[in-house]
Amino acid sequence: MSRLLAATLTVALAAVLAVGAALGVVALLEARPDQPNTPLITYERAGQGS
């Protein structure tokens, strides 16, 4: 196998692995349940009339 063919196959395999990893990360992020957006600390508002 010539070096050019080996280099081409290596680049193609690396690209396929990168795309597969990106799609896997996206699938994992979409499969995670949404976390509630509730604050840990709440402040009471004082009356503004006085």
Side-chain angles (χ1 to χ4, degrees), residues 16 22 42 49:
V16 167
T42 57

Side-chain angles (χ1 to χ4, degrees), residues 11-44:
V11 168
L13 180 62
V16 167
L17 287 175
V19 169
L23 291 176
V25 167
V26 169
L28 283 175
L29 288 175
E30 288 181 355
R32 247 180 83 215
D34 289 336
Q35 299 295 321
N37 190 14
T38 56
L40 296 175
I41 299 174
T42 57
Y43 296 100
E44 297 292 330

